Amino acid sequence: MTRASLDKQPHEVASMFDDVAERYDLTNDVISLGQARLWRKEVARAVDARPAQKVLDLAAGTATSSGPFAQAGAYVVPCDFSLGMLRVGKQRHPWMPFTAGDAMKLPFKDDTFDAVTISFGLRNVQDTDAALREMYRVTRPGGRVVICEFSEPTWGPFRTVYIEYLMRALPPVARTVCSNPDAYVYLAESIRSWPNQPQLAARLQGAGWSKVAYRNLTGGVVALHRGFKQS
């Protein structure tokens, strides 16, 4: 996958994340200007994991996002298709049931999880709609999905500044803390080409999810989408 390619061949995307696994969490904190931790807290609040519930955390990487669900008493399964990410995560959290899996063909039975969540990973999946359908399949009736993803800032002047930051400032910033800055060129371009809030909501509805809603974080830089599987 070249720097500018958005074809998203799964093995190439996985390899890219393998390369940045060791410093991925640090890099995210730097390039998000510290906002990543606040976004994770909002995801945990939206998922609202409870004791004994089963939560599937897709694109979990090193499982930084999975911690709050485990702390709430839920049984959380961190799942990712990057073996490099999973290895680093297993070293840090050896007790978690890390699982290698592709979001387009999840290795779980129907109606397994009370909640499925994915943060900053859906846009890296080759077929978004297939992934949304798979999330629906493995969620139990009455269960929920929470998607946290970069989106479109709602204020025009800020949107322009934001796009400039993504395309011009993000790669040099990433270069200071990351061994593979080209990965962040890809990430910047994938963010710019990603559907906006109403468009992603429509795709969730198309995959079968009901009561679909979203709310913006940081002025729309990030959006939290939520949906339910009918009982």
Side-chain angles (χ1 to χ4, degrees):
M1 181 167 56
T2 63
R3 289 175 53 179
S5 172
L6 295 177
D7 291 339
K8 295 187 288 193
Q9 295 301 316
H11 67 283
E12 294 179 332
V13 177
S15 177
M16 179 184 70
F17 281 102
D18 290 346
D19 291 343
V20 300
E22 286 287 349
R23 300 175 69 85
Y24 183 72
D25 295 319
L26 170 63
T27 307
N28 280 350
D29 282 339
V30 171
I31 65 176
S32 71
L33 306 179
Q35 293 295 299
R37 297 185 184 191
L38 298 176
W39 297 333
R40 283 196 292 270
K41 289 180 180 179
E42 292 301 321
V43 171
R45 188 174 291 116
V47 171
D48 192 25
R50 303 294 176 86
Q53 287 187 339
K54 294 181 180 179
V55 177
L56 174 60
D57 188 14
L58 289 175
T62 60
T64 299
S65 56
S66 305
F69 311 132
Q71 291 168 9
Y75 176 79
V76 58
V77 177
C79 182
D80 204 291
F81 69 170
S82 165
L83 296 181
M85 286 285 196
L86 294 173
R87 289 191 191 100
V88 172
K90 194 66 175 177
Q91 291 170 0
R92 297 176 182 176
H93 314 285
W95 52 275
M96 282 190 176
F98 285 87
T99 302
D102 187 334
M104 297 184 295
K105 193 174 182 180
L106 293 170
F108 307 106
K109 294 181 180 180
D110 296 357
D111 306 334
T112 298
F113 296 96
D114 297 281
V116 177
T117 184
I118 183 169
S119 295
F120 309 111
L122 187 57
R123 74 182 187 285
N124 297 321
V125 178
Q126 187 178 39
D127 187 334
T128 302
D129 296 319
L132 293 175
R133 290 192 297 268
E134 273 292 271
M135 293 179 206
Y136 187 87
R137 180 185 65 79
V138 302
T139 301
R140 68 164 181 79
R144 60 208 177 275
V145 66
V146 174
I147 297 170
C148 182
E149 190 53 88
F150 290 107
S151 200
E152 184 175 273
T154 54
W155 188 46
F158 175 62
R159 185 162 57 242
T160 300
V161 172
Y162 172 66
I163 294 299
E164 288 297 309
Y165 166 72
L166 278 179
M167 302 312 298
R168 299 190 182 194
L170 189 152
V173 170
R175 189 172 292 113
T176 65
V177 289
C178 175
S179 60
N180 184 9
D182 281 354
Y184 287 87
V185 175
Y186 159 77
L187 290 176
E189 293 176 345
S190 70
I191 292 169
R192 188 172 65 169
S193 66
W194 183 245
N196 64 20
Q197 293 90 324
Q199 290 169 342
L200 182 55
R203 295 176 83 159
L204 274 160
Q205 291 170 334
W209 297 97
S210 62
K211 299 180 183 177
V212 173
Y214 66 84
R215 63 186 178 94
N216 293 312
L217 304 177
T218 317
V221 168
V222 164
L224 280 181
H225 283 72
R226 186 171 182 173
F228 293 86
K229 183 171 181 176
Q230 290 185 332
S231 301

